[in-house]
């Protein structure tokens, strides 16, 4: 008798044991998917991690595997090892890693469906919510999912209502397996076997003399498919035949009815294949060639190299040459980007050099598309280049020779919610190491952590200090908005006279402009001028942002929305004013100042889908848009040749944030946005608007003094025990009862202090301490870099077990955030 250990896509630490049915004993293997019962009636897709004969010692009955889904594993052994590293280092459950790693299309779970059992009669007393659920069914035996019932009834917590109706015999609840990945098929055509005989085909053409269009379509099919020449014969789809022959479906139906052509379904890929003549990589400049050679030399001694190259220095060209070398050696390459928005430009660029060896993978793909990328990589034997965002580290690589982490400083490489809260940059280094590959980190403004590792010799360091060719660094002009407002020279609320002047000149010369404001919406705050009332979210401790286009107030933490009030709910006054400005307000102001210019906005509101990203970037790249307004999305590695002016509208909002990394991030954002201009032969101008032009950080941005900024920040961080000198682990406690959260967080911190001493700070109340109806407290641990993460985990587990003695402890939701950003 055989048994298997299985991981489930649930936040569970353990693997679970199941018995293998006798008929599956030879078929099941590590890395295969199995459908198993878990709980009373639920089904889940489990991943087999071990197969063995020895029966486990348990005092409960071991359940049997319900279905084996795969004849061959869909997971490679190194992936399981990588999952375990993620779970151990980031202090989360193995089930959390599985849930994040595998595309949804590869996970089949059961879902609860509800059916109305019988008609309601007045003999049974029902509550209004129960009546609402029954009235949601339109037919007697209609099956509705719980989520569908919530939509139809508008009820939030509907499960207790369903349970009550089930007890009264009015509804039945069932568990059904929902469908996962569905292959895409298309209709193809072939010549019927009997018509491959010359005399039979000749007779067919005789019959078609009176049906000229059918005759032409058959001739077209024979020419395209080479059906009469087995050596050249190829498959022809119905769609291709009709398009190339210019005929209608009705004409084709005539040939199908005669039995001359036979239709059949064929599985096709959803992935867009690049069809073009491949180009050789562009020759490198002398500086690029020198940097490329230095990277190769570093890789002889070290596994990780940091490429610090100024904006527009041509780092991507260096990447392409290194990728070509690794692919030629027969190995795989992972090229990581921080944002989906960049993939459009980079994909087109890489496709010219690598053709069908290029695969793209990110969250804007459909579930089915992601499964196809997964399967293609799983079964690929030759070299492949994968272009992806942070989730691409979980793909089934077989022989990873190089990982490139572009814009490595970006915080979007860090997964925030839900678990696992991993940093894809750091995890990619471990992944490459497991495959015996190398990691190249690239940035114009490297993270202080990475630069420190390079300075101390842990990473190699290669610097590229000049822009490519004749490209000139932009001139950064700081503008004192406080002084301009004092002198009443700001005719527009957030557009200085010099910015307006430079924009006008750029438009007159047919050049483009980028305006950066790292806040979406119309106005961050609405306030009553009479009583000071500010609309706040009911679920979070934040003010709501005004979005003018939809006439809504929106909470950017939980998504809660309200219609904009016409009068103050507190005092009845109609004198409501907008405070601050977001990208939506900037767009309106610019449209008024430059009515002839085509203006586009790129933020989370306008670029939620892949096609929206591509359209906005494509229009700007082709010159259809003259002015692009955006949040941090526009700072990440985009390459536009005609941008001559960049406006940073509010530098103060970037610097004045309660976080030890605020100045580092502000510097990176301002330098990166500045780098979007002057990327060809035209010089660029950056207008940096601030009320603190003499602030040291502003002066460092003006002078592009990266090393000076690093030294300044490192001195502070060493003094206060922050990364890169210490590792941060944050314990986050959330709960509905504020006093319970407060009291237990104090007890928790005291118990941790007993074991870890002064390394433990808190509990602290975060700037936003109430999100999605939950109160939040944090306990911060500053641990020596040399300390074992496993040793820390043992201590944390011990204290967690001690906290279990408190009855109210179960009311808390707890998670760890290792290396928070």
């Amino acid at each position: 008798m055989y048994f298997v250990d299985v991981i489930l896509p649930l936040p569970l630490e353990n693997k679970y044991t199941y018995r293998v049915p006798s008929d599956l004993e030879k078929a099941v293997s590590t890395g295969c998917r199995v459908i198993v019962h878990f709980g009373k009636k639920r089904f889940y897709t489990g991943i087999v991690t071990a197969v063995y004969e020895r029966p486990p010692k348990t005092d409960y009955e071991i359940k049997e595997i319900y279905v084996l889904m795969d004849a061959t594993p869909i997971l490679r052994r190194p992936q399981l090892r990588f999952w375990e590293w993620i779970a151990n280092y980031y202090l989360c459950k193995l089930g959390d890693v599985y849930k994040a790693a595998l595309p949804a299309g590869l996970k089949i779970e059961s879902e609860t469906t509800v059916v109305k059992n019988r008609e309601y009669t007045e003999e049974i007393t029902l509550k209004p919510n129960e009546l609402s659920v029954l009235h949601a069914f339109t037919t007697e035996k209609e099956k509705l999912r719980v989520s569908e019932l919530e939509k139809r009834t508008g009820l939030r917590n509907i499960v207790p209502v369903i349970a009550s109706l089930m007890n009264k015999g009015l509804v039945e609840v069932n568990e059904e397996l929902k469908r996962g990945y569905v292959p895409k098929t298309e209709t193809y055509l072939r010549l019927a076997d009997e018509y491959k005989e010359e005399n039979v085909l000749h007779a067919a053409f005789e019959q078609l003399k009176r049906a000229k269009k059918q005759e032409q379509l058959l001739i077209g099919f024979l020419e395209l498919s080479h059906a009469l020449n087995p050596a050249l014969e190829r498959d022809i789809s119905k769609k291709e035949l009709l398009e190339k022959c210019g005929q209608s479906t009705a004409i084709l139906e005539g040939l199908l009815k005669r039995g001359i052509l036979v239709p059949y379904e064929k599985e096709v890929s959803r992935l867009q294949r690049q069809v073009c003549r491949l180009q050789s990589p562009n020759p490198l400049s002398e500086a690029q060639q020198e940097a490329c050679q230095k990277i190769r030399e570093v890789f002889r001694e070290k596994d990780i190299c940091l490429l610090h190259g100024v904006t527009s220095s041509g780092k991507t060209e260096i990447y392409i040459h290194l990728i070509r070398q690794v692919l030629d050696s027969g190995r795989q390459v992972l090229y990581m980007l921080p944002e989906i928005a960049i993939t459009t430009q980079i994909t087109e660029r890489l496709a010219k050099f690598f053709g069908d060896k290029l695969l793209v993978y990110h969250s804007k793909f459909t579930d089915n598309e992601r499964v196809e990328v997964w399967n293609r990589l799983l079964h690929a034997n030759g070299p492949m280049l994968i272009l992806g965002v942070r989730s691409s580290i979980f793909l089934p690589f077989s022989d990873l020779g190089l990982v490139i982490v572009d814009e490595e400083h970006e915080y979007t490489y860090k997964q925030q919610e839900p678990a696992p809260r991993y940093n894809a940059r750091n995890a990619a280094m471990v992944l490459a190491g497991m495959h015996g590959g190398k990691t190249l980190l690239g940035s114009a403004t490297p993270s202080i952590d990475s630069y420190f590792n390079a300075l101390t010799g842990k990473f190699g360091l290669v610097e590229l200090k000049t822009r490519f060719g004749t490209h000139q660094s932009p001139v950064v002009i700081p503008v004192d908005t406080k002084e301009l407002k004092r002198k009443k020279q700001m005719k527009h609320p957030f557009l200085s006279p010099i910015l307006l002047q430079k924009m006008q000149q750029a438009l007159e010369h047919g050049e483009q402009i980028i305006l950066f404001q790292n806040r979406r919406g119309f106005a961050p705050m609405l306030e009553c001028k009479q009583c000071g009332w500010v609309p706040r979210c009911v679920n979070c401790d934040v003010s709501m942002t005004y979005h003018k286009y939809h006439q809504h107030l929106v909470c950017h933490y939980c998504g809660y929305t309200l219609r904009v009030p016409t009068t103050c709910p507190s005092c009845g006054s109609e004198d409501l004013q907008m405070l601050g400005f977001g990208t939506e307000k900037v767009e309106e102001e610019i449209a008024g100042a430059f009515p002839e210019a085509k203006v586009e906005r790129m933020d989370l509101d306008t670029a939620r889908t892949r096609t929206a990203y591509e359209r906005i970037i494509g229009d700007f790249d082709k010159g259809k848009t003259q002015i692009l307004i955006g949040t941090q999305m526009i700072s990440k590695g985009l390459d536009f040749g005609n941008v001559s002016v960049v406006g940073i509208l509010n530098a103060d909002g970037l610097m004045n944030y309660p976080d030890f990394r605020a100045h580092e991030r502000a510097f990176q954002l301002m330098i990166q946005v500045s780098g979007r201009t002057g990327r060809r032969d035209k010089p660029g101008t950056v207008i940096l608007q601030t009320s603190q032009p003499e602030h040291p950080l502003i002066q460092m941005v003006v002078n592009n003094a990266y090393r000076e900024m690093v030294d300044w920040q490192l001195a502070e961080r060493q003094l206060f025990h922050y990364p890169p000198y210490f590792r941060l682990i944050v314990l986050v406690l959330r709960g509905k009862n504020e006093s319970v959260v407060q009291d237990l967080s104090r007890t928790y911190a005291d118990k941790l202090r007993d074991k870890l001493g002064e390394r433990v700070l808190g509990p602290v109340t975060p700037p936003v301490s109430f999100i999605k109806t939950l109160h939040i407290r944090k306990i911060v641990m500053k641990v020596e870099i040399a300390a074992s993460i496993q040793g820390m985990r043992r201590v944390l587990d011990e204290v967690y077990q001690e906290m279990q003695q408190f009855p109210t402890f179960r009311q808390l939701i707890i998670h760890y955030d290792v290396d928070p950003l």
Side-chain angles (χ1 to χ4, degrees):
M1 187 177 291
Y2 282 82
F3 299 87
V4 292
D5 288 340
V6 167
I7 311 172
L8 297 172
L10 298 168
L12 301 169
E13 185 67 53
N14 300 324
K15 299 169 187 175
Y16 291 84
T17 303
Y18 287 84
R19 190 172 70 254
V20 181
S22 57
D23 58 324
L24 296 178
E25 286 180 353
K26 292 183 180 179
V28 70
S29 61
T30 301
C32 286
R33 292 174 300 161
V34 290
I35 294 179
V36 294
H37 286 102
F38 189 78
K40 290 185 179 179
K41 294 183 179 179
R42 298 284 290 178
F43 291 95
Y44 291 97
T45 303
I47 298 286
V48 175
T49 61
V51 184
Y52 50 90
E53 289 187 73
R54 186 187 73 258
K57 295 178 181 178
T58 60
D59 53 1
Y60 58 85
E61 184 185 355
I62 298 175
K63 294 180 182 178
E64 197 173 73
I65 288 174
Y66 185 65
V67 174
L68 173 64
M69 295 180 65
D70 304 302
T72 57
I74 59 120
L75 218 64
R76 300 183 189 275
R77 286 183 185 275
Q79 281 177 281
L80 290 171
R81 205 153 46 91
F82 183 56
W83 287 12
E84 288 169 351
W85 178 85
I86 293 266
N88 289 330
Y89 184 83
Y90 290 102
L91 303 175
C92 63
K93 313 298 184 189
L94 194 55
D96 288 325
V97 183
Y98 166 26
K99 195 166 185 178
L102 214 65
L106 290 176
K107 295 192 290 276
I108 296 176
E109 298 177 10
S110 62
E111 57 187 3
T112 305
T113 58
V114 184
V115 182
K116 190 161 68 167
N117 198 21
R118 58 191 173 91
E119 284 297 327
Y120 156 66
T121 63
E122 293 183 1
E123 298 170 6
I124 305 172
T125 305
L126 295 181
K127 296 175 183 176
N129 283 356
E130 293 172 336
L131 279 171
S132 179
V133 169
L134 288 180
H135 291 155
F137 292 91
T138 55
T139 60
E140 182 64 31
K141 289 296 180 183
E142 183 182 16
K143 289 182 181 178
L144 293 177
R145 296 193 300 271
V146 172
S147 57
E148 290 172 330
L149 278 171
E150 284 178 343
K151 279 185 183 177
R152 290 192 185 185
T153 60
L155 298 174
R156 286 202 170 188
N157 189 11
I158 203 170
V159 174
V161 183
I162 294 171
S164 175
L165 289 170
M166 190 168 64
N167 291 334
K168 293 170 182 174
L170 295 174
V171 298
E172 285 182 3
V173 175
N174 299 300
E175 293 293 321
E176 294 184 355
L177 289 175
K178 63 181 180 184
R179 217 169 173 194
Y181 168 67
V182 179
K184 181 181 178 182
T185 59
E186 278 186 17
T187 302
Y188 275 69
L189 302 165
R190 64 177 177 82
L191 189 66
D193 292 340
E194 59 269 27
Y195 286 92
K196 290 183 179 179
E197 299 290 335
E198 187 177 340
N199 59 330
V200 179
L201 185 61
H202 182 74
F205 272 112
E206 287 294 325
Q207 295 174 16
L208 293 175
K209 281 189 175 178
R210 294 182 181 178
K212 287 294 182 186
K213 289 186 177 180
Q214 289 184 31
E215 182 184 41
Q216 290 169 6
L217 188 59
L218 180 56
I219 292 169
F221 172 81
L222 294 173
E223 288 176 350
L224 290 168
S225 67
H226 302 288
L228 301 178
N229 185 347
L232 299 174
E233 188 174 2
R234 71 181 189 90
D235 295 338
I236 291 291
S237 70
K238 173 182 172 182
K239 181 180 177 182
E240 182 185 355
L241 178 64
L242 294 178
E243 283 179 356
K244 291 195 173 178
C245 293
Q247 300 286 7
S248 67
T249 306
I251 304 300
L252 176 59
E253 286 298 322
L255 290 176
L256 296 177
K257 285 179 181 177
R258 293 176 186 270
I260 300 173
L261 295 184
V262 178
Y264 65 97
E265 294 298 309
K266 180 181 175 182
E267 187 176 328
V268 295
S269 174
R270 292 178 173 85
L271 306 177
Q272 295 179 353
R273 294 184 181 273
Q274 303 294 333
V275 181
C276 59
R277 186 181 295 274
L278 296 187
Q279 302 175 11
S280 297
N282 300 320
L284 297 178
S285 67
E286 187 177 334
Q288 288 173 328
Q289 185 62 49
E290 185 181 346
C292 194
Q293 187 56 38
K294 283 182 179 178
I295 291 168
R296 292 188 179 108
E297 290 170 7
V298 166
F299 280 154
R300 292 192 188 106
E301 298 180 4
K302 299 181 188 292
D303 290 334
I304 303 166
C305 180
L306 173 64
L307 173 60
H308 178 202
V310 298
T311 55
S312 196
S313 58
K315 293 186 291 296
T316 307
E317 290 299 330
I318 294 174
Y319 299 157
I320 289 168
H321 280 257
L322 293 170
I323 290 167
R324 169 60 61 88
Q325 181 183 346
V326 175
L327 293 181
D328 286 347
S329 71
R331 305 190 73 186
Q332 296 167 336
V333 178
L334 172 59
Y335 186 149
M336 292 177 65
L337 295 168
E339 194 80 64
I340 297 163
I342 315 173
T343 59
T344 304
Q345 282 194 334
I346 297 291
T347 302
E348 292 172 358
R349 197 165 168 184
L350 295 178
K352 294 175 185 176
F353 305 115
F354 304 111
D356 61 1
K357 289 181 181 176
L358 172 66
L359 281 177
V360 183
Y361 188 82
H362 55 64
S363 59
K364 293 298 181 188
F365 274 15
T366 65
D367 285 340
N368 286 326
E369 285 174 321
R370 281 190 277 173
V371 171
E372 291 198 6
V373 173
W374 182 285
N375 287 339
R376 186 160 171 217
L377 188 58
L378 182 68
H379 300 115
N381 295 318
M384 296 291 293
L385 166 61
I386 292 82
L387 177 68
V389 289
R390 63 172 180 254
S391 58
S392 59
I393 62 171
F394 294 116
L395 286 167
F397 300 102
S398 58
D399 186 16
L400 198 53
L402 176 66
V403 176
I404 296 169
V405 185
D406 198 14
E407 308 293 350
E408 66 85 30
H409 65 279
E410 283 291 345
Y411 72 90
T412 46
Y413 280 122
K414 170 74 172 177
Q415 165 76 8
Q416 304 292 347
E417 291 289 342
R421 295 170 181 82
Y422 64 97
N423 187 314
R425 176 196 65 200
N426 299 345
M429 299 180 206
V430 174
L431 177 67
M434 287 180 172
H435 285 266
K438 307 294 183 181
T439 304
L440 178 62
L441 310 176
S443 177
T445 54
S447 67
I448 289 177
D449 293 14
S450 295
Y451 198 73
F452 177 80
N453 283 330
L455 293 177
T456 54
K458 187 176 179 180
F459 301 168
L461 176 63
V462 175
E463 298 192 286
L464 191 57
K465 297 182 179 180
T466 58
R467 284 190 156 202
F468 178 76
T470 57
H471 301 182
Q472 301 174 35
S473 296
V475 177
V476 182
I477 304 173
V479 176
D480 189 345
T481 53
K482 185 178 179 180
E483 185 66 13
L484 288 172
K485 287 174 183 176
R486 189 183 69 78
K487 293 179 178 179
K488 298 184 178 178
Q489 293 178 356
M490 292 276 284
K491 295 180 182 178
H492 295 270
F494 43 79
L495 300 172
S496 59
I498 187 171
L499 177 57
L500 289 167
Q501 178 193 343
K502 294 291 183 183
M503 290 175 69
Q504 185 64 50
Q505 291 172 359
L507 292 172
E508 287 172 358
H509 288 92
E511 296 163 351
Q512 292 173 297
I513 299 151
I514 288 177
L515 297 178
F516 172 68
Q517 169 61 5
N518 204 27
R519 187 182 285 273
R520 62 190 174 102
F522 190 83
M525 193 182 294
L526 183 71
E527 182 185 61
C528 173
K529 291 181 75 173
Q530 297 299 317
C531 70
W533 171 83
V534 172
R536 304 190 73 81
C537 176
V538 297
N539 303 316
C540 310
D541 185 25
V542 292
S543 59
M544 299 181 74
T545 302
Y546 173 47
H547 287 248
K548 188 174 182 180
Y549 181 78
H550 294 290
Q551 283 297 307
H552 274 135
L553 294 165
V554 180
C555 172
H556 287 173
Y557 281 82
C558 72
Y560 177 73
T561 59
L562 279 176
R563 295 291 296 176
V564 179
T566 53
T567 59
C568 172
S570 180
C571 69
S573 169
E574 296 182 0
D575 198 0
L576 301 174
Q577 64 175 347
M578 307 294 171
L579 299 178
F581 63 96
T583 50
E584 196 177 354
K585 189 172 184 180
V586 175
E587 182 182 27
E588 181 179 278
E589 197 75 22
I590 293 298
F594 301 98
E596 301 300 319
K598 176 73 169 66
V599 182
E600 194 75 75
R601 173 164 55 97
M602 189 163 85
D603 55 28
L604 194 60
D605 298 316
T606 61
R608 288 187 180 275
T609 64
R610 180 176 47 171
T611 51
Y613 274 117
E614 292 171 354
R615 182 191 60 77
I616 293 168
I617 292 169
D619 286 354
F620 194 68
D621 199 22
K622 292 169 186 171
K624 295 180 182 178
T625 306
Q626 283 78 50
I627 302 173
L628 180 63
I629 300 157
T631 56
Q632 46 81 28
M633 285 183 182
I634 61 174
S635 71
K636 297 178 174 66
L638 295 170
D639 186 12
F640 301 118
N642 196 34
V643 176
S644 64
V645 176
V646 165
I648 300 172
L649 302 183
N650 182 18
D652 303 332
L654 302 174
M655 298 189 296
N656 302 331
Y657 194 77
D659 186 273
F660 76 94
R661 283 194 173 95
H663 284 160
E664 176 190 0
R665 284 187 187 149
F667 179 89
Q668 289 166 339
L669 265 174
M670 287 189 272
I671 291 293
Q672 290 287 343
V673 173
S674 301
R676 298 316 106 206
T677 183
R679 296 183 71 87
R680 297 294 183 270
D681 299 332
K682 302 173 185 176
T685 303
V686 179
I687 306 300
L688 196 162
Q689 297 185 166
T690 174
S691 62
Q692 311 169 73
E694 300 306 317
H695 192 288
L697 189 70
I698 298 297
Q699 292 305 308
M700 290 172 192
V701 173
V702 170
N703 299 314
N704 197 4
Y706 172 78
R707 182 60 187 269
E708 189 180 335
M709 184 276 295
V710 170
D711 292 341
W712 176 44
Q713 289 297 295
L714 282 176
E716 281 190 4
R717 295 187 189 184
Q718 187 171 27
L719 184 63
F720 295 105
H721 290 189
Y722 277 111
Y725 300 99
F726 281 73
R727 173 179 289 121
L728 291 186
I729 299 175
V730 178
L731 173 60
V732 182
L733 303 96
R734 294 175 291 165
K736 289 190 174 290
N737 187 315
E738 186 175 12
S739 62
V740 168
V741 175
Q742 183 66 35
D743 292 344
L744 287 179
S745 62
R746 285 176 185 155
T747 306
Y748 213 137
D750 289 341
K751 287 183 176 294
L752 285 168
R753 252 186 295 272
D754 289 342
K755 295 181 182 293
L756 298 171
E758 294 181 357
R759 298 180 184 88
V760 180
L761 302 177
V764 296
T765 303
V768 182
S769 60
F770 182 63
I771 299 177
K772 297 181 180 177
T773 72
L774 297 173
H775 298 275
I776 304 169
R777 295 293 182 274
K778 294 183 177 182
I779 299 169
V780 181
M781 287 161 275
K782 295 180 178 179
V783 185
E784 295 84 349
I785 289 293
S788 161
I789 198 78
Q790 291 306 310
M792 275 299 298
R793 182 159 198 158
R794 282 193 295 273
V795 171
L796 294 173
D797 287 344
E798 285 173 16
V799 176
Y800 182 83
Q801 293 302 322
E802 290 177 22
M803 290 298 296
Q804 298 280 0
Q805 65 181 301
F806 297 97
T808 52
F809 187 68
R810 292 185 179 182
Q811 296 178 23
L812 298 186
I813 301 168
I814 293 173
H815 75 258
Y816 300 101
D817 193 359
V818 180
D819 302 335
L821 290 183

